[in-house]
Amino acid sequence: MDLSRNKQISALVIFLLVIGFTGYFILMPIIRVFNPDEAVISILNLVYPLLDLGLLLLVLRSFFAFGQGSYGLAQMWVAIGFIVKTFSDLAYYYLIGIDRYYHYGLVHFNSVFLVDFTHTASYLLFLIGLTILWRVPLIASPVSKNQAVVEQQ
């Protein structure tokens, strides 16, 4: 996957913006409320967004490097699905941090559209990409007549 210079810069800028948002709005509040009595839970709360960032880095590289044809189109849909999934995860962590995810047990725009809808939509995008890939015919290597005769005996 050879990326052009402009695509590399675009991926890097997007990634740095997401890191800045995640660090300021998600990781810093989690660090501030770190509870030594619940160290495992607090560490997992930090690790999950960090792993999302690692996944996003790989997906952005894949997204900007997709090729032409059916494989490239399938790869693009799956990459967009991962980007939407990462957005959904980070929005969930942000809303939990500001206590707005199902605030007072009520369903509202933040919980439904920013998290639940995008989370479900990411699976639809995965499915579109996999369906495109599934419809691509497999390329079989030709079999010589000698190999076919040997296999029949």
Side-chain angles (χ1 to χ4, degrees), residues 9-104:
I9 292 172
S10 298
L12 182 65
V13 166
I14 292 169
F15 187 66
L16 289 176
L17 287 173
V18 173
I19 284 178
F21 172 83
T22 303
Y24 187 75
F25 290 107
I26 296 170
L27 296 177
M28 293 304 286
I30 292 172
I31 292 171
R32 270 189 239 123
V33 296
F34 185 83
N35 185 357
D37 295 333
E38 298 176 345
V40 174
I41 293 172
S42 297
I43 289 171
L44 288 176
N45 284 339
L46 280 173
V47 168
Y48 192 83
L50 292 173
L51 290 175
D52 261 345
L53 290 176
L55 177 65
L56 182 65
L57 178 65
L58 296 173
V59 169
L60 283 175
R61 177 152 173 78
S62 173
F63 179 76
F64 283 110
F66 69 88
Q68 301 299 319
S70 296
Y71 287 113
L73 186 60
Q75 184 180 358
M76 181 190 71
W77 281 103
V78 171
I80 292 171
F82 275 114
I83 291 169
V84 171
K85 176 87 169 81
T86 301
F87 171 80
S88 174
D89 287 345
L90 295 177
Y92 170 76
Y93 264 96
Y94 174 69
L95 291 173
I96 287 291
I98 64 170
D99 196 28
R100 293 287 184 236
Y101 185 72
Y102 286 117
H103 191 57
Y104 295 114

